[in-house]
């Protein structure tokens, strides 16, 4: 009986003193949620550097793929534009081979490879 009184007294004292709930740190729907800057993806700096040196209007997409080892350049070039694709590859190669990037793929409008490059060798 005495333990019951102590527990009831403690509960009453807690209610009267306005102690914080264990759930007070859970945000409400109308609370402002903190915004975080997304973590940079692998190769973001390389993509920006390549985009900055591209002069061809045919370049549509620049991405780092294959576990951060390959630079992919998607273009609007057709199958007959292999020389233009090699020029895009060579321009990208001037700045792309940093970090783990070791190869470049330039695709045409039909998603076929028009040119490729490997670190230390010219694009073909």
């Amino acid at each position: 009986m005495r333990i019951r009184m102590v527990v009831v007294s403690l509960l009453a004292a807690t209610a009267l003193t306005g102690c914080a709930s264990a759930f007070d740190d859970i945000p409400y729907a109308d609370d402002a949620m903190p915004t975080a800057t997304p973590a940079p993806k692998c190769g973001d700096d390389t993509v920006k550097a390549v985009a900055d040196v591209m002069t061809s209007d045919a370049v549509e997409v620049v991405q780092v793929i294959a576990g951060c080892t390959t630079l992919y350049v998607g273009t609007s070039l057709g199958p007959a534009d292999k020389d233009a694709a090699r020029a895009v590859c060579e321009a990208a190669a001037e700045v792309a081979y940093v970090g783990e990037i070791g190869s470049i793929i330039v695709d045409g409008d039909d998603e076929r490879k028009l040119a490729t490059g490997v670190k230390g060798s010219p694009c073909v």
Side-chain angles (χ1 to χ4, degrees):
M1 179 84 158
R2 186 170 170 96
I3 293 176
R4 182 186 271 173
M5 272 189 176
V6 170
V7 170
V8 170
S9 296
L10 285 173
L11 289 174
T14 302
L16 292 175
T17 59
C19 286
S21 163
F23 300 104
D24 281 349
D25 60 344
I26 296 175
Y28 294 101
D30 59 349
D31 287 350
M33 295 301 292
T35 57
T37 303
K41 296 178 193 169
C42 68
D44 278 353
D45 292 339
T46 303
V47 169
K48 182 178 178 339
V50 170
D52 288 346
V53 300
M54 283 295 129
T55 58
S56 173
D57 291 336
V59 174
E60 296 177 338
V61 177
V62 178
Q63 297 175 319
V64 175
I65 60 171
C68 303
T69 61
T70 302
L71 179 76
Y72 170 81
V73 181
T75 71
S76 61
L77 298 172
D81 298 321
K82 292 190 182 222
D83 289 338
R86 272 193 297 278
V88 167
C89 182
E90 291 295 338
E94 291 177 16
V95 294
Y97 294 128
V98 295
E100 296 181 29
I101 305 292
S103 62
I104 298 171
I105 297 171
V106 178
D107 277 357
D109 60 355
D110 60 358
E111 296 183 10
R112 290 187 185 170
K113 288 182 190 159
L114 296 179
T116 59
V118 178
K119 188 185 250 183
S121 298
C123 293
V124 292

